[in-house]
Amino acid sequence: MAEAHAAVAFSFAITHEGFDINYDHEVLNLVWNSGVRSWKKRLARARNGVRNGVYPAHIQSLWLISAIALGLHFTGYQAPFNLTNRLLVHLPSNTINWQVTACFLAALVIWLSICFTMRYTLKLLLMYKGWMYESRAPGSRVSLPTMLWVAVVRVLSSWNKPGLYSFQGSLPRLPLPSVGDTMTRYLRSVRPLLDDDNYARMERLAKEFEQSIGKKLQWYLILKSWWSTNYVSDWWEEYVYLRGRSPLCVNSNFYGTDAIFMNLTNKQAARAANVVSLLLNFRRLIEHQELQPIMVQGMIPLCSWQYERTFNTARVPGLETDRIVHYKDSNHIVVLHKGCYYKMLIYHKGRILRPCELQVQIEEILKANATPLDGEEHLAALTAWNRSKWAEARNTFFSRGVNHVSLRTIESAAFVLSLDDEPFEFDLARPELLDNFGKKLLHGNGYNRWFDKCFTVCVANNGRVGFNAEHTWSDAAIASHMWENLIVDDLVSEGADAPVLGHLWEYIFGDDIYGYDESGDTKGTPDFQPPMPTRLSWDLTPCLSKIDEATMDVTKLINEVNLRILVHQEYGKGFMKKCRISPDAYIQMALQLAYYRDAGRFSLTYEASMTRLFREGRTETVRPCTIESAAWVKAMQNQSTTNDERVKMLQAACDRHQLGYQDAMCGRGIDRHLFCLYVVSKYLEVDSPFLNEVLSEPWRLSTSQTPHGQTPKMDLKKHPNCISAGGGFGPVADDGYGVSYIIAGENLIFFHISAKTTCQQTDVQRFSENISQALADIRSMFEQHMKDHPKPAKSITNGAST
């Protein structure tokens, strides 16, 4: 095996005849290349660190200022503040060499002053969020302060081509709301959910909390907000994700689908090889910080912190809490096929293998017809098990020997590639095929996905692809997020948490369409015989009972989950914007109406919003169930309400939703603040009836949008079929729904709806029908309104529209 081969790459022995040295040229060369690649990355990180540290200034401007300082000094002029002469006094002598040194030191001081002035000026400017609240109604004008702000920010942010992390030091910290403001917003959000008596009781609890223990807890949060980069993110990662003991499968991990309207190749090895190559190139862009940071309107940067752990990352189980382990480098991926695990090298002489070379390796695995070792086929079920049970089994059976080596090989891999032995199918006439597509990506059979890994790329035997991703390392907050970098009106319609996977997936689709020849193979011819994949060794006999138990548990878990992917083709973004309503708000109101018809009541609703306008920002919760949305839903159910009244009420509900989304993105949300107050109360061992009740409220409707078009590679006008169906996640509450949606085009929307089959009150088929009906009713409402209130026709005067 490869591990044994590496272990004897170099050895020596002392004999009566002297030293006996044995070494393997091939393995030592592999070690040498790995070391060279590692040092190159360290030097690149150091160079990028300097560049990011002085951004938005350019490091080359130092030489210009140095030349100016030298010119001023030797022509008899003084540098600002007479810095050159002041520094020269402290140098050993007044010779030409020391004068040049003094000029350079003066230039360095001036240059650093300019750098940090520009940097902190940009940081102060990025604290301004008034632009978010500017009216975007037709005919409205942008305020003068925002116009001036835009002009200055655009200059500073485009002064120099940024690297991936160039703006990190300029991003402001997440602001901490006051307790009073959060109480006001919270009480308003729960008003449609509570009757008068319960609302009065909640008002009393909130007032008691604000006037008593809330003040003390807030002071601790103020200290944390001053001391830490982000007062939420570390606690959110630890307590929401890493300390959770439930299985990752269904409960935490999320999935993404292929571009379902086109089939680039039917050859599994070719599609897998091209996708792997594109992923590795994306990893290289991250490591070299050559990936452009996402910029709202081309000038407002979003935090890039989450990209650091996209690859070479695994969640390691613990008895009480898990931990995220990120490896600085990895020269391999792990391939899972028919229950067998393979280590596949991805470098040759310091370069990434080309797609045609990767295809040779993958074809070797597909042709192997290997038989899994005892327990190997169901091994991944351990990663879908209860986290404490998996940790105990890991400590007992995987802490030494071949099991330890092989497990570390998986956890240190760039990512896992699963070559499925079944197709991922799609046919509009057979909706159950797309449902099965989603199920295979969400959970598979429970043991053909390594759920602990940063992500598993799944390639079907018909060439279709998808992914299953672990949630902790990056925000996919309940689903996927930023596949769309839209300006304000659509920016506030972004889902929150999987910006990185969305960006990565779009990058793949942007180039994947050009990667195949006429026969469906990858382009090009291998320059050499690539290294063949090697089987991982296991000794699983002692833990077969644990693997069997985990397999039974995960089988029960996936049988309790149902998934429906609704394809809505009647209309899409085009009609929604014609109604002058944010598409996200439009769909959220449709979901409120659908849920009310489905459950007969309103429920606490979760929509993920991003806070990446701030450093290390992750997510905040938007609460779409508002006083205004509840009033509109009731009006839709009341036949005596006129159509005009319904339209007016819907517009008011959408405006309120937009305001809630804007507040969440600007750090004025409700739930992350309450969560952090709760964490502080637990540290202080202080009991708060208000926080206990708030944090125990179930989210029976959990939603997230999956935008698209985040990168310029996604040219949908040129390739209209290059659009993914989005992705989804499991239900958050046992008696609720998980809904992810993607507005895929002018006349296309996908909904991924999940629920537990064990709950009698939920049914994904019924809820999907209610969503379709709600969308149809809203359309009819607006069409009637447009018919009753036709717009005056546009006239053309002097060549201009009036």
Side-chain angles (χ1 to χ4, degrees), residues 201-218:
R201 181 180 62 84
M202 187 56 72
E203 271 189 317
R204 186 179 67 256
L205 289 175
K207 186 176 182 179
E208 291 174 355
F209 173 79
E210 181 181 354
Q211 295 177 350
S212 57
I213 190 60
K215 295 180 180 179
K216 181 179 180 181
L217 302 180
Q218 180 76 352

Side-chain angles (χ1 to χ4, degrees), residues 112-128:
L112 288 174
S113 300
I114 294 172
C115 290
F116 286 105
T117 299
M118 293 177 67
R119 180 171 178 171
Y120 284 99
T121 299
L122 180 59
K123 187 169 187 174
L124 287 171
L125 288 168
L126 292 177
M127 290 180 182
Y128 173 73

Side-chain angles (χ1 to χ4, degrees), residues 80-92:
F81 308 107
N82 197 22
L83 268 177
T84 304
N85 292 328
R86 289 186 178 184
L87 290 169
L88 194 57
V89 172
H90 299 284
L91 297 178

Side-chain angles (χ1 to χ4, degrees), residues 742-761:
I742 177 171
I743 306 171
E746 296 300 306
N747 295 291
L748 182 63
I749 310 172
F750 291 96
F751 292 88
H752 300 246
I753 308 161
S754 63
K756 291 290 183 72
T757 59
T758 52
C759 177
Q760 300 298 320
Q761 288 76 39

Side-chain angles (χ1 to χ4, degrees), residues 661-679:
Y661 217 121
Q662 291 163 340
D663 285 342
M665 291 178 65
C666 293
R668 303 188 185 105
I670 301 169
D671 292 277
R672 298 302 178 269
H673 186 201
L674 292 176
F675 163 76
C676 289
L677 290 170
Y678 180 77
V679 172

Side-chain angles (χ1 to χ4, degrees), residues 26 73 76 82 127 150 177 185 189 207 331 432-433 536 624 632 650-651 657:
E26 181 182 352
H73 178 73
N82 197 22
M127 290 180 182
V150 167
R185 293 190 184 99
S189 73
K207 186 176 182 179
N331 67 350
E432 69 278 2
L433 294 179
L536 298 186
W632 170 74
L650 176 58
Q651 290 171 337
H657 179 77

